[in-house]
Amino acid sequence: MNALFFVVLGLYFVAVVLQFSAAAFKKEKLAGLSWPVFVAAFALHTLFLVLRGVIARRLPLSNQFEFACAFAWGIALLLIVLRVKVKAVWLSVAAMPAALLILSYAALQPREITELMPALRSAWFGIHIGSAVFAYSAFVLAGCVSLRYLRMKKQGTADELKLQQMDYLSYRLVGFGFLFLTVVILSGAIWAEQAWSAFWTWDPKETWALITWIIYAVYLHLRLRRKKDAAFLAWYLIVAIPVVLFTFAGVNTLLPGLHSYA
């Protein structure tokens, strides 16, 4: 399992290097080679998660290593979907490194397979944590789209229609992630009442999940009411990424609480 994990990590690294080399040296062949390497990494990544789940006899989402692996997998999955559905080839140069960085963080975590803690043995386990994977992945990709939006707008390499499509794509990603984060909070409240006899305890993880939810609720309000232009909203989504990452990893490191095992 360790060998498979590092093969996956290595393939993602190769894909990112090829993608950056293609962008730096204007070599389309390198970009064309980068994509099948990335897809191969994703396939092996999926295999790794399935095998770990089979060995552990549970969903591989119970600790920081497993969640980080699933988080990186979610980013890769959404990138593949976007490239297939909306031909967002331009997104790869920002999204591929995001998946690599999250998986690199996973490599720093303990990789032992452990038994589920009693508090995690619930029907809400997969719904609550699985929803968080897709919420965080969508938010990170929305930030990646915004990075490319600002870069392409500054360079003048995209016409106004293309920029509008990118702005709309980031909006749709945030809407997707916001829906899943809402599921995370609601399912977590129900689960907390069952496990700890309280719907809300102001645990650091709960609090920062709520802060993240509010930040993206504000974005949706601004976007729907057209109170700010697309460039401002793109910067907003970029600045929001550290909040997502802090909710994901920083809280566990700096603000231990009831969710410290996660």
Side-chain angles (χ1 to χ4, degrees):
M1 292 295 291
N2 281 336
L4 179 57
F5 173 79
F6 284 105
V7 167
V8 171
L9 185 63
L11 287 175
Y12 278 130
F13 177 76
V14 171
V16 169
V17 169
L18 289 171
Q19 188 66 46
F20 275 130
S21 299
F25 301 109
K26 311 298 182 184
K27 299 291 186 180
E28 291 300 323
K29 289 184 178 180
L30 291 178
L33 182 59
S34 172
W35 184 241
V37 173
F38 184 83
V39 172
F42 173 77
L44 291 177
H45 193 169
T46 303
L47 176 62
F48 172 80
L49 291 175
V50 170
L51 290 177
R52 188 175 178 94
V54 170
I55 293 171
R57 297 182 180 179
R58 55 170 171 76
L59 289 174
L61 297 170
S62 72
N63 54 47
Q64 194 71 349
F65 169 76
E66 293 176 350
F67 186 85
C69 284
F71 186 2
W73 179 86
I75 293 172
L77 174 64
L78 290 181
L79 173 59
I80 291 172
V81 170
L82 291 176
R83 282 198 48 152
V84 172
K85 292 293 185 180
V86 299
K87 311 300 179 186
V89 177
W90 46 267
L91 183 55
S92 298
V93 73
M96 285 184 183
L100 174 63
L101 288 173
I102 298 298
L103 199 63
S104 297
Y105 168 78
L108 302 176
Q109 306 303 310
R111 294 186 294 278
E112 293 82 5
I113 296 176
T114 57
E115 291 290 330
L116 277 180
M117 294 182 63
L120 295 179
R121 295 169 187 168
S122 168
W124 293 105
F125 175 70
I127 296 172
H128 179 69
I129 305 177
S131 295
V133 168
F134 287 107
Y136 294 171
S137 299
F139 292 150
V140 168
L141 275 183
C144 292
V145 173
S146 297
L147 281 170
R148 293 298 294 158
Y149 173 93
L150 293 171
R151 181 70 173 171
M152 294 172 80
K153 183 175 183 178
K154 181 179 180 180
Q155 293 178 333
T157 55
D159 58 27
E160 190 60 31
L161 177 59
K162 182 69 173 179
L163 291 174
Q164 289 177 2
Q165 291 172 341
M166 295 171 72
D167 172 56
Y168 184 61
L169 178 58
S170 62
Y171 162 65
R172 292 179 67 184
L173 282 167
V174 170
F176 178 84
F178 187 78
L179 173 63
F180 276 96
L181 186 56
T182 302
V183 173
V184 170
I185 293 173
L186 293 178
S187 62
I190 297 170
W191 191 3
E193 197 281 330
Q194 294 177 351
W196 303 313
S197 301
F199 287 104
W200 194 267
T201 62
W202 295 104
D203 177 72
K205 197 79 166 183
E206 295 174 351
T207 303
W208 276 91
L210 179 61
I211 291 171
T212 305
W213 188 90
I214 292 171
I215 286 172
Y216 284 99
V218 170
Y219 165 85
L220 291 173
H221 171 74
L222 295 174
R223 178 66 169 69
L224 291 171
R225 296 298 297 270
R226 300 289 183 180
K227 290 182 176 292
K228 298 293 183 180
D229 62 19
F232 175 89
L233 294 174
W235 277 113
Y236 187 100
L237 291 179
I238 293 168
V239 173
I241 290 179
V243 178
V244 175
L245 296 180
F246 186 80
T247 304
F248 155 59
V251 171
N252 294 0
T253 304
L254 303 175
L255 303 171
L258 293 173
H259 290 77
S260 296
Y261 52 79

